[in-house]
Amino acid sequence: MPLDGSMPWKRWTHLAVLAMFALTAQPVVAAGWSLMVQQGRIGLTLPDIHSGGSVVTGIRADVVTAVDADNRVATVQFRTGSRLQAASIVQSGAESPFQMEDVRVDLRDVTLTVDLNGTAPLPERSSVAGPVVITVGAVQHPALIGQGWRFEGVVNGPMTDLRVEGQVRSDSGLVADLTLRNVPGEFLAARAITQVEGASGSKVMAGTLSDWPPLLELDTGQVRAEASLRVEPDAPLALHGQLDFDGVGGVMNRTAISDLNGRLLIDLEQGLLTAGFRDVTIGQLNSGIGIGPVHILAGYTAPKSDLFGGLLDIQQATAGFLGGRLRVAPGAIDLSRKPWRLPVDVYDVSLARLLQVYPTEGLAGTGVLSGRIPVQISDAGIEVAQGQLAAIAPGGVLKLPANRLRAMLGSNQAMNLVVEALQNFHYSVLESTIDYDEKGKLVLDVRLEGENPEVRGGQPVVLNISLEEDIPALLTSLQLSGRVNEAVTERVRERLQQSGEETVP
């Protein structure tokens, strides 16, 4: 429903009050009078309401009441069959158009009380209390998938400070606790809390939010969301939100996510969005090669007019990787200006584990690698230019299979020496530049210095080797090998079958 300080449902209630007391609240001179009506019935068809950017059409009030009144107070008990309804409520604001169709408010068992002695305006002397049920045939909003909603709760308080509390449910199964407070002319405040769990929660969110990523599927853990907003006359909307993640796991496209925990805070005030990632950790991100645990501490600010063109302030971003770790240097990234640059520092990565990950038998080695990889993200994709990796002293050992090397290097006499040396190469220097283009081609220019004790008496050898790898194809091979999980493997197989490509790694 339109969340502004002049909501049409408030005016419906006022109309109902006036209708009830057109019969009972006339000025009376005599003292000590009383009136009792056991079964009163009124049906009203009301004109359309135009209020600001909102339009309510097809308004009708049907009320069945019991009235008990005297010279001090009047009490109206709404009986079964009492309802307010509207064919549509449309808010056509440019920022957030909103529409509800077939709106029905069930008022049975609601009690309306009016102080007849006071001199204040009627709304100030009127209060309501009791259960209320609101059903909406369809809600249309850019952020939501169109569907029906139902609210069950209680209404309580004077018309000048009305409170509604209860539970709202969508046809797709989303359930949220909802609290509303309306002080006409001053503010409207709302608070909603919901929680979803595992695969069922993922299905509910996909059936509710229009922007839910189609390739995101959750299967474990809980997500709790809480949001509150406040609207005041001639003031911008104030929104505060919080998302809590507890052991969340699932699949995003072709990446498996496990054990996501932490909190996301969101605030929208004075036309400025601020967000903060607090204590966010991810057990592992796995697209074929596992990365984790991941730790993130960051903030984000953006104008309301361009929510995705703000400033991302990275305070901490680290991840475990092959026995070592990756670290994004702290700094600010202006998302309104591409390309985005992420300098990634590499510390103490195990060469042995790196070679174990590569899907070729016979690779082995020892040593520890460190360096920096300048990642650049643009509309074209991800690129790396002149990244640097080097082995930490004193070096280590490389053992590469001869058949693999001959396939890469050829079989001439000069290459035979290289192949022989790399069967058991004791290196003191291993340095490599890294280049990666937007099409997924990785180029490594490797410099090796060392010797093979079994070749030419351990004579020193210097090798310069250029290696190329198709990273998307490599990851596809790893995903098909079952190194991620069954969901990712099945998703990759389906895509390959749709494209007519080979599915065997």
Side-chain angles (χ1 to χ4, degrees):
M1 58 184 63
L3 294 176
D4 59 49
S6 58
M7 296 177 64
W9 63 264
K10 175 192 68 180
R11 297 182 63 182
W12 296 356
T13 309
H14 290 177
L15 288 169
V17 172
L18 293 172
M20 295 304 96
F21 291 99
L23 299 176
T24 62
Q26 299 301 322
V28 177
V29 177
W33 66 273
S34 65
L35 172 67
M36 180 177 293
V37 179
Q38 291 295 332
Q39 188 83 352
R41 182 183 296 272
I42 296 178
L44 296 173
T45 299
L46 303 172
D48 295 347
I49 296 176
H50 296 261
S51 176
S54 299
V55 178
V56 185
T57 61
I59 307 170
R60 180 173 176 81
D62 293 291
V63 290
V64 181
T65 63
V67 180
D68 187 357
D70 57 29
N71 60 309
R72 296 176 297 103
V73 65
T75 302
V76 179
Q77 179 72 45
F78 291 91
R79 300 288 180 85
T80 300
S82 297
R83 67 174 59 90
L84 302 173
Q85 60 189 68
S88 69
I89 301 176
V90 178
Q91 179 174 292
S92 56
E95 293 186 358
S96 185
F98 189 95
Q99 181 170 337
M100 295 189 293
E101 301 172 0
D102 191 17
V103 182
R104 298 172 183 265
V105 182
D106 191 334
L107 297 174
R108 59 182 170 181
D109 297 328
V110 171
T111 300
L112 174 63
T113 304
V114 178
D115 179 4
L116 299 180
N117 283 331
T119 59
L122 182 62
E124 295 182 18
R125 296 183 283 118
S126 306
S127 62
V128 294
V132 63
V133 177
I134 303 173
T135 59
V136 182
V139 174
Q140 306 292 339
H141 186 276
L144 301 173
I145 293 176
Q147 61 186 301
W149 290 77
R150 179 182 177 87
F151 171 83
E152 295 187 30
V154 295
V155 59
N156 186 54
M159 302 300 296
T160 52
D161 189 359
L162 198 61
R163 297 172 183 265
V164 180
E165 297 181 358
Q167 195 172 77
V168 63
R169 178 186 294 270
S170 71
D171 286 350
S172 64
L174 180 67
V175 178
D177 294 327
L178 181 64
T179 302
L180 296 172
R181 183 185 177 194
N182 187 45
V183 179
E186 295 186 24
F187 68 86
L188 170 71
R191 182 168 178 260
I193 301 174
T194 187
Q195 179 172 298
V196 296
E197 299 184 12
S200 61
S202 178
K203 184 178 180 180
V204 165
M205 298 306 294
T208 303
L209 302 178
S210 58
D211 290 333
W212 182 263
L215 296 177
L216 174 59
E217 297 180 3
L218 307 181
D219 50 41
T220 60
Q222 299 178 345
V223 180
R224 182 180 185 274
E226 179 177 340
S228 60
L229 61 83
R230 185 181 178 96
V231 179
E232 299 179 3
D234 302 320
L237 172 75
L239 172 68
H240 306 279
Q242 178 175 312
L243 287 173
D244 291 296
F245 305 95
D246 183 8
V248 174
V251 175
M252 176 61 183
N253 197 356
R254 291 160 58 170
T255 299
I257 305 168
S258 63
D259 201 23
L260 167 62
N261 295 278
R263 177 172 295 172
L264 171 62
L265 303 175
I266 300 173
D267 291 283
L268 179 61
E269 288 189 281
Q270 302 299 321
L272 182 67
L273 171 72
T274 61
F277 296 90
R278 298 292 179 263
D279 302 320
V280 174
T281 62
I282 304 172
Q284 188 179 71
L285 297 172
N286 191 346
S287 297
I289 301 175
I291 299 176
V294 179
H295 299 268
I296 300 173
L297 180 63
Y300 181 73
T301 57
K304 185 180 178 181
S305 57
D306 188 9
L307 294 179
F308 299 102
L311 195 67
L312 177 63
D313 180 18
I314 299 175
Q315 300 155 35
Q316 178 187 8
T318 62
F321 182 65
L322 299 177
R325 65 188 180 96
L326 307 176
R327 171 181 174 269
V328 176
I333 301 173
D334 187 349
L335 299 188
S336 66
R337 297 183 178 181
K338 291 184 179 179
W340 307 330
R341 292 179 172 82
L342 293 173
V344 179
D345 295 316
V346 181
Y347 299 95
D348 303 328
V349 168
S350 167
L351 180 60
R353 292 185 60 178
L354 178 61
L355 295 177
Q356 289 171 2
V357 167
Y358 197 80
T360 297
E361 293 184 2
L363 297 179
T366 63
V368 176
L369 306 176
S370 292
R372 170 167 280 206
I373 304 174
V375 177
Q376 181 172 286
I377 303 174
S378 67
D379 292 333
I382 298 175
E383 297 179 71
V384 174
Q386 292 298 299
Q388 302 286 333
L389 277 181
I392 298 174
V397 178
L398 271 177
K399 295 183 179 182
L400 306 181
N403 58 344
R404 171 69 173 173
L405 288 170
R406 287 194 176 94
M408 291 191 304
L409 304 176
S411 57
N412 60 55
Q413 185 173 0
M415 291 300 99
N416 285 339
L417 175 60
V418 174
V419 171
E420 290 180 7
L422 290 177
Q423 302 307 294
N424 184 26
F425 193 74
H426 294 236
Y427 68 87
S428 58
V429 173
L430 188 163
E431 299 174 340
S432 178
T433 61
I434 301 172
D435 292 278
Y436 182 78
D437 66 21
E438 69 279 2
K439 296 181 180 179
K441 184 177 75 172
L442 175 68
V443 177
L444 303 176
D445 290 324
V446 183
R447 177 180 175 83
L448 290 167
E449 296 182 14
E451 69 280 337
N452 185 332
E454 302 166 358
V455 176
R456 297 186 179 184
Q459 180 179 347
V461 176
V462 176
L463 300 175
N464 292 290
I465 305 172
S466 182
L467 304 174
E468 292 187 7
E469 185 64 71
D470 185 330
I471 295 301
L474 173 63
L475 291 178
T476 296
S477 177
L478 293 172
Q479 291 158 355
L480 288 173
S481 69
R483 297 196 187 192
V484 185
N485 63 26
E486 293 182 5
V488 170
T489 300
E490 183 60 29
R491 184 169 286 181
V492 173
R493 288 188 184 278
E494 289 176 356
R495 286 193 179 183
L496 293 177
Q497 289 171 357
Q498 292 171 0
S499 63
E501 299 179 31
E502 180 60 56
T503 61
V504 178

